[in-house]
Amino acid sequence: MGLALLLPESTFIPETKTFLFAIGIIGIWRYSMGVVHFIRGMIFLYIVFPLYQRKIKKMGAQTNPSHIYLMVTSFRIDASTTAMVYQSIIREAITCGLPTTIVASIVEMSDELLMKSLWETMAPPEHIKLTFVRIPGTGKRDGLAYGFRAISRDMPDDSAVVAVIDGDTVLDEGVVLKTVPYFKLFPNLGGLTTNEFCEVRGSYFMSEWHKLRFAQRHINMCSMALSKRVLTLTGRMSVFRASVVSQPEFIADVESDSLKHWRLGEFKFLTGDDKSSWFSLMRLGYDTFYVPNASVNTVEHPPDPRFIRASRQLMFRWYGNNLRQNSRATKLGPQRLGWFTYYVLFDQRISMWTSLLGISVAVIAATKYHIGFLIAYLLWVGITRMALTLLLLASGHNVGPAYPLMLYYNQIFGAIMKIYVFFRLDRQSWTRQPTQLKRNLASFQQWFNRWSSRSMTFSALSLFGAILITLV
C-alpha cells in the first residue's frame, strides 16, 4: 500500500498502459508456465497419485521386490549427523521386513566403526546383511560407482531395487515400503526420487531459503511426474532398479560422465551425479517418477556462514549441473522426452534472460523517464510474490514470512548466476570438500578459456542491455 501511494495518479489511468503491456507480454508467458506447472502438480498430487496408491494396495504383496539394497555414501560429515543417518537406514531395513543388504560406501575408518557399533546395538535379523566398500576420497561419483559394482557382483534379479542415500539424509519411517512398489506398478520405471524436508545448520535466512527451495521442488516434481519424466534423481535419496545400476553403461555414466564443448573442449563432470543418472536412464529408454508421500530429512550444512556467499556457492554448483546436462538432454528429442519435458528443458535456457527483463526495463525507464516506473514494478513484485508464496501452501511444506523476498532473490540473483555459469561450464567444485576439476590444460588453452568466457559474457550482457534500451 505504501508503494501504491507513492505512485502518481497517471500510473492507474488506462491510457498509459502501453509500457505495462510491453512487460506484460513476457510476464504472461512466464507466469503461464508457472501456472501450468502448478496445475499439473495439483492434478498429480490430489488425483493421479491417489489412484496409483489404490492400485498398489489392491496388488498387495505382489509389489514387494525380491531384494532391497540400501546404499549410503558418506564423506566428511559430522559424527552426530552420520549416526542419525546410519540409524535410520538400519531401522528401515528392519521394519520393511524384506531381504535387505546395506552397502556402506565410505572413505574414513571412523564411519565404518560407527556403523558397526550401531549394527551391534540395533541387532538386525539374519535376513539383513551389511557390506562395506572402502574408496579413496576422490568424490561422490567414485563412491557411487564402487557401490554399484559391489551390488552387481551380487547378481541381483530383475525385481531387486537399490536405494541410493546421501550421507546427510535421515530416512523417515516407512519410506522404503512407500517407494519400492512402483517398480512393479510401472514395468518401464528405471528410477524414482522422494520428497525432501530439511534441517539447516545456519542462519534464519539460509534456513528459509532451503525450505523454500524444497517447497518449489515438490510442486515441480509432481508436475513432471505426471509425464513420468522427473528431471533429476536427487542424490539425497533415489531408488533404482538393481538391473539398471548393474549395467556397465549406467555405471560409466555416473562415474566418468563428460561433455565435449565447442569452445571449452572436453571435460569430465565433477559434480551432478543425480543429473548423470537421470540422463543415463533417459538415454537407455527408462521412465522416472516421484513419490510425494515418501519423505526424507536432510541435514544442510551451508558452505559459508554468510548468506550471500553460501547461496552463491550452492547456486554455482546446482545451476552448473543443470546447464551441463541441458544441451545434450534436448538432443534426445521430443519423441523420447515428450513434448512438455522437451519444452521445459528448452525453457531453462531462456529463463535466465527473461527473469532479468522486468527489473532491467524498470531501472532503464526510471532513469530515463520517471522513478514511478520502478516503484510500479516493485509494487507488482510484492503482490505477485505474495500470491506465489500462498500457492506454495498447497505443497504441504511450511511457508515463512521471508518467502516473498526469497522468491525474488532467487529470480534475480539466480538468473545472474545462471548467465555466469552458462559461459563457464568447465568450472566445477564441491561445497563440502576442496575437490576441484583439474584438466592439466596447456597455458594457452587456459588463457583462451578464461578470456573467451569473459568476452562472451560481456558481449551477451551488452546485447541484452542494448536491445532493452532501444525498446524502452
Side-chain angles (χ1 to χ4, degrees), residues 72 74 86 104-109 111-112 132-135:
V72 57
S74 182
Y86 288 169
S105 184
I106 57 176
V107 177
E108 294 150 326
M109 178 60 72
D111 288 340
E112 181 175 342
F132 289 100
V133 179
R134 296 295 298 273
I135 62 169

Side-chain angles (χ1 to χ4, degrees), residues 190-342:
L192 59 82
T193 192
T194 54
N195 195 0
E196 291 186 25
F197 296 86
C198 64
E199 174 190 341
V200 181
R201 305 288 173 82
S203 65
Y204 169 78
F205 281 103
M206 180 56 66
S207 177
E208 292 294 283
W209 186 66
H210 274 87
K211 292 173 182 176
L212 168 63
R213 174 174 167 264
F214 285 134
Q216 291 179 301
R217 171 189 180 274
H218 181 60
I219 292 178
N220 288 335
M221 286 285 191
C222 287
S223 171
M224 301 310 300
L226 194 62
S227 308
K228 296 187 182 67
R229 289 293 183 274
V230 172
L231 293 179
T232 181
L233 295 170
T234 311
R236 300 307 175 88
M237 180 180 173
S238 293
V239 188
F240 301 86
R241 287 190 187 274
S243 57
V244 172
V245 302
S246 300
Q247 295 182 29
E249 299 93 336
F250 181 85
I251 297 175
D253 284 341
V254 174
E255 183 180 28
S256 55
D257 201 0
S258 62
L259 178 67
K260 191 172 184 179
H261 193 270
W262 66 274
R263 177 174 56 86
L264 302 172
E266 187 171 4
F267 54 89
K268 291 182 65 176
F269 291 173
L270 181 64
T271 61
D273 54 276
D274 52 349
K275 292 290 185 181
S276 296
S277 59
W278 171 82
F279 177 77
S280 185
L281 290 180
M282 289 292 103
R283 188 172 55 83
L284 294 172
Y286 290 99
D287 296 334
T288 55
F289 194 65
Y290 177 66
V291 184
N293 69 334
S295 58
V296 299
N297 281 276
T298 63
V299 183
E300 302 287 345
H301 297 83
D304 194 281
R306 288 162 290 189
F307 172 72
I308 299 294
R309 292 191 62 177
S311 61
R312 178 180 60 82
Q313 292 181 48
L314 291 170
M315 285 181 177
F316 182 83
R317 178 163 63 88
W318 295 337
Y319 296 151
N321 296 338
N322 188 31
L323 292 170
R324 276 186 285 273
Q325 292 291 352
N326 185 287
S327 59
R328 65 178 187 172
T330 52
K331 293 179 182 178
L332 295 174
Q335 288 73 28
R336 174 67 199 109
L337 296 171
W339 281 103
F340 182 75
T341 306
Y342 183 78

